[in-house]
Amino acid sequence: MSGPTLSDVAHAAGVSYATADRVVNKRGNVAQKSIDKVRDAVATLGYVRNVAAANLSRKQVYRLAFLIPTGSNAFFFRVREHIMQTARHLRVDSVTVDIVDLPAFSVDALHSCIGQLTSFDFDGVAIVGLENAKLEQPLADLQARGVEVVGLVSDLPNAFRSAYIGIDNKVAGRTAARMTGLGSGSGEIQTFVGSLDARDHAERLQGFREVIAADYPQMTVLDPVLTKDDPAVLRSAARRALQKEQTVSAFYNVGAGNVGLIDAIRETYVNRPFCVVHELVTHSRQALIDNHIDLVIDQRPDVEVNRAFALLRALIDERELPPMPDLMPTIYVRDNLPANTFKPAMETQTT
């Protein structure tokens, strides 16, 4: 048995079909009294709007933007590649995509970029976020224009976005701590952080510290070295830590720049610290094979990008969000590595 039609809604509300259509599909120019009648009829009848038909009739185009940090981070190279691949696939569904590059970890740059988006006709925006109150006003302005906003990989201030797409970064940090405790057992742990303004970095470090303090009190978490994900900074800091006459028994890099860390370990291979990093890319994969690091925690950016597209389109259509289970980080060691599918262009990128 078919469900109620828009004609049924119009009849129940005592309005014309055209009026019911304008209300249901938000075309405007309808008196509030008629809007209320149509909405009551929709609720009473259990009418479900045909989004595909509505989009076809009004030639809906989904204009999306992705705000992605620039730099030599191979993880975000993967993110960009998958955005472009997915965008090509979705052209037939009238989806257009702009990738907006901005400096990593810069609150001012992100603030300015979000503010500038209000001058463009975007329907939805996915943003690799930072946790800073300065971003709240431009995000609120963007939402006031009817633009749907989601946080991607690293979250935004919660009240100013509709969804977050990414792993639970506290869980990722706790996982890193558990494996470090089992793999090292004692001594000092040197941590490295790109920026504490990046919510994913701050939450990973918090989760890591919590587990070490609770379950491995014989280990000491040293204050993090702030690296801005710069491989040169990370290499220099790791070399200094390796000169501490074996007091440092483990490394945990919360962010990127792992080429520098791997170089430092390669130069001091004997009795190297237990080492955990994030994101499986060319360099971290090879470092696992070469036994320079022990563990990679990967957040599957292809899945995150696919979810961003699906969620933004659902939000724009005002549909119920699709069911999506929690994204759990994947743990890689040298024994369970997948086939190397990274493009040759990624060989020059760092993470």
Side-chain angles (χ1 to χ4, degrees):
M1 181 178 177
S2 61
T5 66
L6 190 56
S7 294
D8 297 329
V9 171
H11 179 75
V15 300
S16 68
Y17 180 94
T19 297
D21 176 72
R22 297 188 77 84
V23 173
V24 169
N25 291 308
K26 299 185 181 298
R27 302 185 198 280
N29 296 322
V30 181
Q32 187 60 47
K33 183 177 180 180
S34 296
I35 292 174
D36 294 339
K37 287 181 178 179
V38 172
R39 287 177 175 172
D40 288 343
V42 167
T44 300
L45 296 175
Y47 171 76
V48 178
R49 173 172 168 257
N50 188 329
V51 175
N55 287 347
L56 183 63
S57 68
R58 63 183 178 176
K59 298 181 180 179
Q60 167 76 350
V61 175
Y62 301 90
R63 301 174 180 87
L64 309 181
F66 286 75
L67 273 59
I68 308 296
T70 57
S72 57
N73 187 330
F75 171 76
F76 286 119
F77 184 91
R78 286 177 65 190
V79 170
R80 281 187 183 82
E81 282 291 301
H82 200 72
I83 291 171
M84 291 187 290
Q85 290 171 8
T86 306
R88 287 192 290 269
H89 177 72
L90 293 176
R91 282 176 185 167
V92 295
D93 293 333
S94 299
V95 176
T96 67
V97 177
D98 285 272
I99 298 178
V100 181
D101 294 329
L102 68 161
F105 306 127
S106 173
V107 173
D108 289 339
L110 184 55
H111 176 277
S112 175
C113 187
I114 295 170
Q116 292 172 14
L117 290 180
T118 58
S119 302
F120 297 89
D121 192 24
F122 290 118
D123 301 302
V125 180
I127 302 173
V128 177
L130 297 172
E131 185 68 20
N132 194 289
K134 188 175 182 179
L135 302 176
E136 294 178 0
Q137 189 58 56
L139 287 170
D141 293 342
L142 200 58
Q143 290 180 313
R145 289 180 57 86
V147 180
E148 298 294 345
V149 178
V150 300
L152 177 65
V153 177
S154 183
D155 206 359
L156 296 157
N158 291 13
F160 300 90
R161 50 75 168 162
S162 296
Y164 164 63
I165 302 152
I167 62 173
D168 184 326
N169 283 292
K170 285 186 181 178
V171 169
R174 292 177 66 87
T175 301
R178 185 74 58 198
M179 302 309 296
T180 300
L182 293 173
S184 181
S186 62
E188 296 177 337
I189 308 168
Q190 181 61 67
T191 57
F192 307 93
V193 177
S195 171
L196 292 176
D197 279 329
R199 186 164 172 178
D200 56 337
H201 289 199
E203 289 182 347
R204 289 173 188 175
L205 185 61
Q206 179 184 348
F208 187 87
R209 283 172 162 164
E210 288 173 353
V211 168
I212 296 298
D215 296 341
Y216 303 98
Q218 72 278 14
M219 303 190 77
T220 302
V221 180
L222 301 176
D223 290 338
V225 176
L226 299 179
T227 69
K228 296 292 185 181
D229 286 353
D230 184 331
V233 174
L234 194 55
R235 180 175 182 269
S236 178
R239 290 183 68 185
R240 288 195 300 272
L242 288 166
Q243 293 169 359
K244 286 189 173 182
E245 298 181 355
Q246 308 303 315
T247 60
V248 173
S249 62
F251 283 154
Y252 174 43
N253 185 21
V254 168
N258 287 318
V259 165
L261 177 61
I262 293 164
D263 283 346
I265 290 173
R266 184 183 294 114
E267 294 164 3
T268 317
Y269 183 76
V270 178
N271 297 321
R272 69 164 176 83
F274 188 86
C275 187
V276 178
V277 302
H278 284 266
E279 315 312 344
L280 187 68
V281 293
T282 300
H283 299 95
S284 57
R285 186 182 191 279
Q286 190 60 48
L288 281 174
I289 293 171
D290 294 338
N291 200 32
H292 295 321
I293 62 176
D294 298 281
L295 195 78
V296 173
I297 300 175
D298 190 68
Q299 61 182 302
R300 302 168 65 197
D302 53 339
V303 176
E304 293 173 330
V305 168
N306 288 345
R307 288 190 176 190
F309 276 98
L311 284 177
L312 283 173
R313 293 174 70 186
L315 288 165
I316 293 165
D317 288 335
E318 298 185 327
R319 290 183 284 119
E320 183 177 346
L321 299 185
M324 293 184 179
D326 291 342
L327 263 175
M328 299 304 296
T330 301
I331 298 174
Y332 289 111
V333 295
R334 63 189 304 191
D335 306 291
N336 71 333
L337 286 171
N340 188 4
T341 59
F342 300 124
K343 292 188 175 183
M346 294 184 67
E347 297 293 336
T348 60
Q349 303 294 315
T350 60
T351 183

